[in-house]
Amino acid sequence: MDHFQYKNNELYCEEVPVGQIAGQVGTPVYIYSAATLKHHFQSIQAAFSELDPLICYSVKGCSNINILRQMSQWGSGFDVVSGGELFRVLKAGGGADKVVYAGVGKTDDEIRAAIEAGIAYFNIESEAELENLIDIATDMKREVHGALRINPDVDPETHRYTTTGKKETKFGVDIERGMAVFETYGRNEYVKLTAIHLHIGSPVNSTEPYVQAIEKALVFIETLRSSGFTIDALDLGGGFGADYVTGQAPNASVYAAAIVPLLRGRGLKLILEPGRSISGNAGVFITEVLYTKRGGEKEFVIVDGAMNDLIRPMLYDAFHFIWPIKVTDAFATVKRTDPVDLPGLKKTEVVGGICESSDYLAKDRMLPPVQRGEKLCVFTAGAYGFAMSSQYNSRPRAAEVLVDGSEVQVIRRRETYDDLIEAETM
Ligand code: LLP
């Protein structure tokens, strides 16, 4: 479900024609729908309501401060992985008491700032990090809460770069070593180790890996409890899918149907860290066709957006549905599936202007014939889109726009050439 729909052969975001925004703000541009963000947040909340979860929106997916402010107003907490993300959350008015902080490489300064702010949990990724946290908290004489991130060695069946719950990855502590961690550090005066954290990968498009990981975590929690440790929360991390291809990802209620029965009556506060499932299809990327050309047997469509704006296709071979924002009747009712099977389409490679052959947004994609000046929509770009963008090839980053009903707000202006050199010494 999202609020990007074609009406009279033209793509709208909520009540606003996308072409109008592109005309006013220029391209490339990211456009987000507030109603879609809210819908996804509230669907997760409703699906898991029996367990009254703390939902900590994962900032890394889409971290514009205006979006964080909205999320906070709807009651969301936040999952952060750096001092910079915590800074954003606090600037956005997010409550530190609803912040969880993961990441294998927390620096001393970042730890101090998070203690100072009074975050809910440090999601601890190693014995060495825990020792350091104990040293800093003791030095500051501040009590903090920790969740030990365990690595359950479960295969989330996703891209190898976004698999985190398998043993050979750098994340968490092997579940077999978990008890030793609690025995060594679990009775500390300042760091209260009272929760378990899991995050197995992203996206996890089936429920089975969650079930396997939770079952392992529950056995571990019962062992800890029988050894006298108090464990009162379980953080399941993120990973719920988004709809890149229609019908591909389960919705929140499907995940909940598998997960809630396992956790009912366990005396565990549930924490969730969804990122992609909230912002993924709440955002699109609009780019303009600059040129078309032939190369051998291939038809190239060269656009003004590139891998510096949206790196997911080149980095993960990720699929993003692409379609013109204005279409003729013949192409108006397309479903977001690949391959699209309609007469008159051409097999096309959509590429950017960066000097690398890896710079593409789509390969072997069936598209209506397009012309210079036409605008294309890259769907499901609201998660890990702008957030992973860069200025590579000295390309100023795109603008970001938030639509709420008929209101349009530029939430990040397009960068200028001066922005490119702003931090450089002259
Ligand atoms: N919690 C932790 C500890 C995480 O590491 C992540 C994502 C999340 C929550 C949120 O996961 P989500 O609900 O968004 O799946 N750049 C990649 C995805 C990397 C995910 C990293 N961790 C992509 O574009 O697919």
Side-chain angles (χ1 to χ4, degrees):
M1 198 301 287
D2 65 63
H3 290 269
F4 294 94
Q5 302 300 336
Y6 285 87
K7 293 180 214 166
N8 304 322
N9 297 0
E10 190 175 352
L11 182 64
Y12 276 67
C13 175
E14 303 196 14
E15 292 164 30
V16 187
V18 163
Q20 182 186 312
I21 301 172
Q24 284 163 1
V25 182
T27 55
V29 58
Y30 278 92
I31 302 176
Y32 306 100
S33 150
T36 312
L37 287 164
K38 190 174 187 181
H39 171 83
H40 289 310
F41 174 71
Q42 292 183 340
S43 322
I44 297 173
Q45 215 171 28
F48 287 88
S49 61
E50 184 187 332
L51 299 177
D52 187 24
L54 170 61
I55 299 178
C56 293
Y57 168 67
S58 190
V59 174
K60 65 176 80 62
C62 182
S63 48
N64 187 291
I65 189 169
N66 295 275
I67 287 179
L68 301 184
R69 189 178 300 121
Q70 287 272 5
M71 297 296 307
S72 165
Q73 283 163 2
W74 298 328
S76 187
F78 297 96
D79 152 52
V80 302
V81 286
S82 70
E85 287 190 350
L86 177 59
F87 170 81
R88 281 182 177 278
V89 167
L90 298 177
K91 281 274 179 203
D97 58 337
K98 288 187 183 174
V99 168
V100 295
Y101 181 7
V104 298
K106 304 177 186 82
T107 68
D108 293 7
D109 284 348
E110 288 177 317
I111 292 172
R112 269 193 212 97
I115 294 178
E116 209 56 72
I119 65 164
Y121 286 99
F122 283 86
N123 288 339
I124 297 157
E125 306 250 6
S126 67
E127 291 89 337
E129 179 195 328
L130 179 50
E131 272 178 28
N132 192 35
L133 176 62
I134 288 172
D135 285 350
I136 295 173
T138 307
D139 184 53
M140 292 172 74
K141 298 199 170 23
R142 289 279 295 265
E143 189 177 297
V144 303
H145 279 87
L148 183 68
R149 178 170 181 175
I150 53 166
N151 186 319
D153 198 25
V154 163
D155 187 353
E157 288 161 18
T158 192
H159 194 278
R160 68 187 192 286
Y161 290 172
T162 56
T163 292
T164 52
K166 289 204 76 186
K167 240 184 199 159
E168 60 270 22
T169 68
K170 66 183 176 184
F171 299 98
V173 171
D174 294 346
I175 194 162
E176 298 81 8
R177 291 211 315 277
M179 181 50 92
V181 173
F182 272 83
E183 288 296 354
T184 312
Y185 307 102
R187 298 181 182 87
N188 190 268
E189 185 185 352
Y190 289 105
V191 177
K192 305 292 178 196
L193 214 47
T194 54
I196 296 299
H197 177 238
L198 293 167
H199 170 73
I200 54 177
S202 166
V204 186
N205 282 328
S206 72
T207 55
E208 189 49 34
Y210 283 103
V211 171
Q212 284 175 29
I214 292 168
E215 281 172 349
K216 288 187 179 187
L218 289 175
V219 170
F220 179 49
I221 289 169
E222 285 319 312
T223 315
L224 289 169
R225 284 175 166 170
S226 58
S227 302
F229 295 105
T230 301
I231 303 294
D232 53 22
L234 176 62
D235 180 340
L236 288 187
F240 298 165
D243 212 358
Y244 290 92
V245 179
T246 301
Q248 171 207 49
N251 62 33
S253 59
V254 175
Y255 291 104
I259 292 171
V260 171
L262 299 173
L263 299 180
R264 197 174 277 143
R266 299 275 185 172
L268 290 167
K269 173 79 186 167
L270 174 64
I271 302 171
L272 297 169
E273 302 172 356
R276 189 191 313 268
S277 52
I278 291 178
S279 69
N281 62 13
V284 298
F285 178 63
I286 307 299
T287 182
E288 183 173 308
V289 176
L290 295 175
Y291 306 105
T292 56
K293 77 179 248 184
R294 251 186 113 77
E297 292 303 302
K298 283 196 166 169
E299 295 285 345
F300 289 97
V301 170
I302 301 161
V303 293
D304 66 357
M307 70 187 235
N308 72 300
D309 298 301
L310 181 64
I311 202 171
R312 303 192 70 258
M314 81 147 279
L315 191 56
Y316 313 115
D317 269 329
F319 172 86
H320 286 264
F321 184 74
I322 299 182
W323 209 243
I325 66 167
K326 290 189 180 157
V327 286
T328 57
D329 283 348
F331 301 123
T333 54
V334 69
K335 290 217 170 57
R336 294 179 208 165
T337 48
D338 183 39
V340 178
D341 188 14
L342 289 172
L345 300 182
K346 269 182 126 164
K347 192 183 273 189
T348 311
E349 194 150 324
V350 182
V351 300
I354 281 181
C355 300
E356 298 206 26
S357 296
S358 60
D359 177 25
Y360 72 94
L361 298 178
K363 278 198 168 149
D364 294 337
R365 191 63 64 80
M366 300 307 285
L367 275 185
V370 292
Q371 311 213 335
R372 176 174 167 81
E374 263 186 69
K375 298 187 179 58
L376 302 180
C377 178
V378 182
F379 287 86
T380 322
Y384 309 105
F386 184 88
M388 292 180 82
S389 68
S390 76
Q391 297 174 331
Y392 184 44
N393 274 207
S394 286
R395 296 165 57 94
R397 266 178 287 233
E400 289 180 291
V401 168
L402 181 62
V403 174
D404 190 352
S406 57
E407 271 174 45
V408 176
Q409 190 195 351
V410 176
I411 56 172
R412 194 177 206 273
R413 62 164 174 80
R414 183 175 308 288
E415 288 185 354
T416 63
Y417 288 158
D418 282 328
D419 291 323
L420 295 177
I421 57 167
E422 204 198 356
E424 294 171 22
T425 50
M426 293 288 200

